[in-house]
Amino acid sequence: MNKNYSLLWLVLLPAIFVVTGCAMGTNAVGSSEKAVDTADTALVNGQFYIVDEENSWAEAVAIKDGIIVHVGSMKDVDSYIGENTEVIDLEGKFAMPSFVESHLHPLSTAYDRMFKVALHELSTPEEYVVAIKEFAEANPDKKGIMGAGFSRTLFDAVGPRKELLDAIDSTRPIGIVSSDIHSMWVNSKALEMIGITKDTPDPKGGVIARDPVTGEPSGLLQEDSAMQLAWGLFPQASKDDYKTSLLWVQKWMNRIGITTMHDAWTEFDPNFYQAYDELAKEGKLTVRVRGSWFVDPNANYIEEIEYGIELSEKFNHPHFQVHSFKFLTDNILEEETALLLEPYTHRPDFYGIKNWDDEDMVKAFAMIDKAGQQIHVHVIGDGAAKTTMDILEQIQKTNGKRDSRHSMAHIQMIRPEDVVRMGESGVSAHMSQTWMVVNEDYESVYLPYLGENRANNTYPQKSMFDAGINVTVASDLPTSEPDVMSAIYSGITRSSLGGEQLPPASECVSLEQMLKAATINGAYGNFLDDEVGSIEVGKKADIVVLSENLFEIDTEEIPDVGIEMTFFEGKRVYSKSGTYLPAIN
């Protein structure tokens, strides 16, 4: 009897190992997995770049309930495939975590393009006038004409003139916001209705552009405090308008491989934030949204922060949360409103505009940090960078240092010592890589206004990586398009395709660094690194499939690489063609 049982055990033992081996599987990053049911989806025959510290690769991924349950070889994925598993053969294509966009204005941009006259694709003032006129004639019942997307650099230092708009319509107010969102072009009727005259002083933090000869308002309101004077003249968006806009813009994001984005100017307007929240609860979002409430230095900022904290507690859906506050320490060089440590070259006594008094910013930052929320700061000039770091360090001493992941966006100019301070303080850098190119702005703004030495030492991205700063990808849409391939290319080369390189060349970074900036670093900056940003077991299946392996092509080819498929939590939300159909098991 004992002998027979022993023989039976020897027969069954190999079978037991086969069964348990099929149920367990292996993980390409070196950790064993728990037994799972068969997957809902299996992506096979791919080149998966994991984006981990070891720069690991895999051939196949299995997904169950939107979560990655296996990362490994083609052989090992078989045990996760059942008769109901959708198997997608990637045919050797390159795949990686889908992209995280760390600073953009998606909802306001979408609304502008869908419900206003959109000038973003036009390139001359003459084209602007034609488009605005056609829109005005097609909308005779609108009480005011709103538009967006004109380029500030197509005009002189004073900016576009009101007379161009007066010739289109002098009976209704017209307001056109610039593509960088830092100025509004208005007609005489708008100036009249808000009571702006030659004697009207500039609002704090803003500029009313004036004719250099007569001193009369010329038709440009620069920066938010000046633009706010005119907002009430125009119809405001409804919640349904915003929901329609959001559904449109998320398709755009999915098409270019983005499944997580940070709305860096979340409005306190209920129509704005409820559009996000309702679509999230309705299960209609195919992007994961994090946001920052915009804090106005000219309003009762204490009440705004209190209200923002209260609202933040109400939004708990994984697809929409706002636990951050947006500040503008300064503005932009193109409007001569960036804050510099040394004066503008052509204006020896002018250092730019500082939007916040130090005492107020300290109070606001401390209040937010103490509440456990994030601080997200627009910084362009080196003066703004120093001021922001001074205050961030001050509140760390007051409140105690914690894992806050506060951030600075853009950071066009910064002293080396402030780069080091960013690294030591754990401040993320949301960089706009597509701005790191030589273009008309470089010739018209950077050189004349900054001088050659300062103009040739902007965007020190490699220095930030070297300082241990969490560097991310941030297009600042609508200022520039959220084209991640172009951002990766610009970060590596500091040039546009085939163009001249922006100095210094020593600030170029590697492909591996840029891929992390576009994925896991962006996730980390939003406290999402335990959920997305890399292809690992237990994380959400946010994956993008590209037309080429970025490691096997020439750098000059990167901007032309296309998006084949985008997955959001295991759901295929974009497919370039019908090529990738479920394979036969």
Side-chain angles (χ1 to χ4, degrees):
M1 291 288 293
N2 290 336
K3 182 177 181 180
N4 288 339
Y5 275 117
S6 298
L7 289 173
L8 181 60
W9 175 250
L10 290 173
V11 171
L12 292 177
L13 186 60
I16 292 171
F17 276 120
V18 169
V19 172
T20 56
C22 288
M24 294 293 289
T26 56
N27 188 338
V29 296
S31 61
S32 62
E33 302 169 8
K34 295 180 180 180
V36 296
D37 296 329
T38 55
D40 300 321
T41 306
L43 308 180
V44 302
N45 191 24
Q47 299 180 71
F48 290 90
Y49 184 59
I50 305 304
V51 187
D52 58 6
E53 291 302 317
E54 293 76 29
N55 295 321
S56 304
W57 293 80
E59 297 176 320
V61 169
I63 303 163
K64 178 72 174 179
D65 297 328
I67 303 297
I68 298 170
V69 295
H70 169 80
V71 182
S73 67
M74 287 288 290
K75 177 182 178 182
D76 292 333
V77 79
D78 285 346
S79 59
Y80 291 84
I81 298 174
E83 66 178 71
N84 294 320
T85 302
E86 178 188 19
V87 180
I88 302 175
D89 186 348
L90 298 189
E91 302 173 359
K93 293 292 186 183
F94 176 84
M96 61 178 289
S98 54
F99 305 127
V100 179
E101 233 291 357
S102 294
H103 178 109
L104 76 169
H105 310 284
L107 185 47
S108 57
T109 299
Y111 176 74
D112 286 349
R113 298 195 183 191
M114 296 193 74
F115 293 94
K116 301 178 183 178
V117 53
L119 308 180
H120 306 81
E121 305 299 324
L122 306 180
S123 55
T124 68
E126 292 76 18
E127 291 176 331
Y128 294 162
V129 169
V130 170
I132 297 167
K133 183 177 181 180
E134 290 178 350
F135 185 88
E137 291 175 348
N139 295 275
D141 298 329
K142 285 187 178 293
K143 294 182 179 180
I145 303 301
M146 276 293 284
F150 80 86
S151 174
R152 180 70 176 81
T153 60
L154 293 179
F155 301 91
D156 63 15
V158 178
R161 303 306 203 275
K162 60 189 177 185
E163 288 79 12
L164 285 174
L165 298 180
D166 292 345
I168 295 171
D169 194 328
S170 61
T171 65
R172 293 181 287 175
I174 300 177
I176 312 295
V177 178
S178 61
S179 59
D180 57 33
I181 338 175
H182 282 268
S183 60
M184 182 190 291
W185 176 18
V186 297
N187 65 350
S188 296
K189 187 64 175 178
L191 293 171
E192 174 194 327
M193 292 176 71
I194 55 180
I196 291 181
T197 68
K198 180 179 180 179
D199 300 320
T200 303
D202 289 341
K204 181 182 178 182
V207 176
I208 299 170
R210 303 171 196 274
D211 185 282
V213 177
T214 67
E216 292 289 339
S218 60
L220 189 70
L221 305 176
Q222 297 172 261
E223 304 308 339
D224 185 65
S225 61
M227 294 163 64
Q228 282 190 22
L229 299 174
W231 281 123
L233 301 178
F234 305 101
Q236 302 303 302
S238 68
K239 182 167 60 178
D240 285 342
D241 290 342
Y242 276 136
K243 292 176 79 170
T244 298
S245 301
L246 182 52
L247 292 172
W248 176 81
V249 78
Q250 74 173 3
K251 289 182 181 179
W252 182 8
M253 296 299 110
N254 294 160
R255 189 171 68 248
I256 57 179
I258 294 170
T259 56
T260 299
M261 61 185 185
H262 190 106
D263 190 321
W265 193 306
T266 307
E267 299 279 0
F268 283 116
D269 175 4
N271 289 338
F272 192 97
Y273 59 74
Q274 287 176 9
Y276 274 123
D277 192 46
E278 288 184 11
L279 286 177
K281 291 175 178 175
E282 292 166 8
K284 294 180 179 178
L285 287 187
T286 58
V287 287
R288 185 178 299 99
V289 181
R290 295 297 181 265
S292 293
W293 301 113
F294 173 68
V295 183
D296 185 351
N298 299 311
N300 187 326
Y301 64 88
I302 296 295
E303 287 187 0
E304 285 193 338
I305 293 169
E306 289 175 342
Y307 183 48
I309 293 172
E310 179 185 342
L311 283 175
S312 295
E313 294 173 353
K314 296 179 180 179
F315 303 136
N316 297 311
H317 196 283
H319 296 167
F320 176 62
Q321 295 178 22
V322 187
H323 298 291
S324 176
F325 289 80
K326 165 72 174 293
F327 291 79
L328 284 88
T329 302
D330 68 345
N331 300 297
I332 60 174
L333 283 168
E334 290 82 347
E335 301 283 358
E336 300 179 41
T337 51
L339 182 64
L340 308 181
L341 288 172
E342 298 177 11
Y344 284 79
T345 302
H346 67 302
R347 299 174 67 179
D349 297 322
F350 184 67
Y351 293 80
I353 290 179
K354 187 177 184 180
N355 291 323
W356 285 80
D357 294 332
D358 286 355
E359 182 180 350
D360 290 330
M361 184 172 268
V362 168
K363 190 181 298 183
F365 278 19
M367 183 178 177
I368 293 165
D369 181 73
K370 190 172 183 179
Q373 304 261 326
Q374 285 182 285
I375 298 166
H376 187 115
V377 193
H378 166 110
V379 167
I380 291 290
D382 50 4
K386 179 182 182 302
T387 294
T388 304
M389 281 310 308
D390 286 346
I391 295 175
L392 286 174
E393 286 185 340
Q394 184 174 337
I395 66 165
Q396 280 188 341
K397 291 176 181 177
T398 302
N399 291 344
K401 191 171 182 179
R402 65 180 180 86
D403 183 16
S404 57
R405 306 187 195 183
H406 299 319
S407 61
M408 290 160 57
H410 316 313
I411 323 173
Q412 187 167 354
M413 301 170 65
I414 185 170
R415 303 180 307 167
E417 53 264 47
D418 291 328
V419 170
V420 173
R421 290 204 292 165
M422 285 181 67
E424 292 173 346
S425 299
V427 177
S428 289
H430 302 317
M431 302 295 288
S432 301
Q433 287 81 10
T434 52
W435 301 0
M436 300 175 191
V437 299
V438 177
N439 54 25
E440 67 272 12
D441 291 347
Y442 181 81
E443 297 295 334
S444 65
V445 177
Y446 305 157
L447 284 176
Y449 295 173
L450 298 178
E452 187 171 355
N453 183 57
R454 285 188 295 177
N456 288 343
N457 285 279
T458 58
Y459 304 114
Q461 184 172 236
K462 186 175 185 299
S463 295
M464 292 188 179
F465 274 107
D466 292 345
I469 295 170
N470 182 60
V471 179
T472 73
V473 169
S475 68
D476 198 34
L477 177 76
T479 305
S480 53
E481 299 285 288
D483 183 344
V484 181
M485 290 298 109
S486 292
I488 290 170
Y489 174 83
S490 296
I492 296 170
T493 66
R494 293 178 71 84
S495 71
S496 55
L497 186 61
E500 184 182 351
Q501 185 179 70
L502 181 73
S506 60
E507 291 295 342
C508 296
V509 300
S510 69
L511 173 60
E512 289 87 350
Q513 286 173 313
M514 282 308 306
L515 293 183
K516 287 182 178 179
T519 55
I520 191 64
N521 291 5
Y524 177 88
N526 286 283
F527 282 98
L528 287 167
D529 50 307
D530 60 342
E531 297 182 40
V532 297
S534 61
I535 301 177
E536 299 181 86
V537 170
K539 288 194 173 184
K540 297 183 187 300
D542 285 16
I543 297 169
V544 63
V545 180
L546 306 184
S547 61
E548 303 289 341
N549 187 326
L550 299 178
F551 291 89
E552 295 178 354
I553 61 175
D554 188 271
T555 300
E556 293 298 305
E557 299 177 64
I558 291 177
D560 295 325
V561 171
I563 307 299
E564 299 287 320
M565 284 189 289
T566 304
F567 292 85
F568 174 64
E569 298 184 357
K571 178 182 177 182
R572 186 165 22 174
V573 293
Y574 171 74
S575 182
K576 182 179 180 181
S577 69
T579 302
Y580 300 98
L581 298 175
I584 299 175
N585 293 338

